[in-house]
Amino acid sequence: MTRLIFLGPPGSGKGTQAQILAEDLNIPHISTGEILRRAMQEQTPLGIKAQSYVNSGDLVPDQLVQDLVQERLSQPDVKSGWILDGFPRKVTQAVFLEKLLAELNQGGERVINLDAPDDVVVARLLDRGRKDDTETVIRHRLDVYRAETAPLIDYYRDSASADLSVRQTLITVNGDQSQEEVTNELKKVITQ
C-alpha cells in the first residue's frame, strides 16, 4: 500500500511528479488546492465556508483545510493508497495528519521531500509565464515556504530517528534533475 506525502518548494516539480506516480500506481493524487476548488465548485458545506474566505482574499484557516483533508481521506477510493500534495505545510498540520491517519488505520506513509535550489525553482516558475510570477514574488514565496517547511522537514526527520524500529519516514530526492530522472529516482525510493 503506497501512501506518500510530497513536500517541496513551489516549482520543485512535486505536483507533476505526484500526478505521474499516482497514475502509474493507480492511486489518487490528492492536492489540497484541488480539494478546495472542488469543494467550492460542488458547494459542499465546507466548500461554501472556504468560498467566503477566498472571496474576501483571505487565507483559508487551518481548521477548514484540515476538515477538507479529513473528508477526502475518508472516501473509499483512498483505501488502496494515495499521494498527498500541499498538506501538511506546518508542524501543527503534520500532528493533525498523524492522528487522523491513526484514526483511519492509514499508517505507513512516507514523506518525500523534493528539493531544488532556489535559482532553479525561480527559473522554472518564471518560465511558466504567469502574470503574478515575478522574481520578487517567487523569492518571497520561497522565503515563506522555507520558514514554514524547515520545521516540518525536521519534524519528520526527527520522528523517524527517534524510533529506530520505524523505517526512515523522510526521504529527500534531488528535484534539480530532468523530469524523467526525478520520476525514476522516486520509483526506486518508493519500492524500497
Side-chain angles (χ1 to χ4, degrees):
M1 181 123 1
T2 304
R3 295 186 182 109
L4 302 171
I5 298 168
F6 269 53
L7 303 178
S12 64
K14 67 183 180 302
T16 300
Q17 293 297 334
Q19 198 166 356
I20 290 168
L21 288 176
E23 286 176 21
D24 192 51
L25 298 166
N26 199 27
I27 57 176
H29 168 211
I30 302 171
S31 157
T32 49
E34 186 58 38
I35 294 171
L36 196 55
R37 284 186 289 277
R38 186 175 302 132
M40 290 186 300
Q41 186 178 14
E42 294 174 0
Q43 293 288 291
T44 68
L46 292 174
I48 292 167
K49 278 186 193 175
Q51 188 72 56
S52 67
Y53 290 99
V54 171
N55 287 347
S56 62
D58 294 326
L59 290 175
V60 176
D62 280 358
Q63 185 60 54
L64 185 50
V65 174
Q66 290 173 188
D67 290 346
L68 286 164
V69 168
Q70 180 170 359
E71 183 177 83
R72 180 64 181 97
L73 289 176
S74 300
Q75 293 174 358
D77 68 329
V78 302
K79 291 193 185 335
S80 59
W82 42 259
I83 298 175
L84 193 54
D85 169 16
F87 187 88
R89 289 185 188 261
K90 306 178 207 170
V91 171
T92 53
Q93 292 177 344
V95 170
F96 161 81
L97 183 60
E98 203 171 294
K99 289 177 184 168
L100 173 63
L101 294 176
E103 287 171 20
L104 296 172
N105 275 336
Q106 291 188 28
E109 73 281 359
R110 290 175 155 192
V111 181
I112 307 290
N113 178 31
L114 199 55
D115 200 22
D118 285 1
D119 289 341
V120 170
V121 167
V122 169
R124 286 180 184 170
L125 292 177
L126 287 173
D127 282 349
R128 285 197 313 202
R130 292 185 185 169
K131 285 185 211 173
D132 59 337
D133 278 350
T134 66
E135 184 166 348
T136 304
V137 168
I138 292 167
R139 290 201 181 274
H140 175 72
R141 285 172 52 206
L142 285 170
D143 289 342
V144 170
Y145 172 81
R146 301 260 187 248
E148 289 181 359
T149 306
L152 186 59
I153 291 168
D154 290 342
Y155 170 82
Y156 281 116
R157 184 180 299 119
D158 294 346
S159 68
S161 59
D163 182 356
L164 297 177
S165 67
V166 176
R167 69 176 160 184
Q168 184 69 23
T169 305
L170 178 72
I171 301 160
T172 297
V173 171
N174 178 8
D176 186 15
Q177 306 176 70
S178 73
Q179 182 178 313
E180 295 77 21
E181 289 171 320
V182 174
T183 301
N184 290 336
E185 191 171 335
L186 286 168
K187 285 180 180 180
K188 283 182 204 163
V189 164
I190 63 174
T191 57
Q192 291 176 350

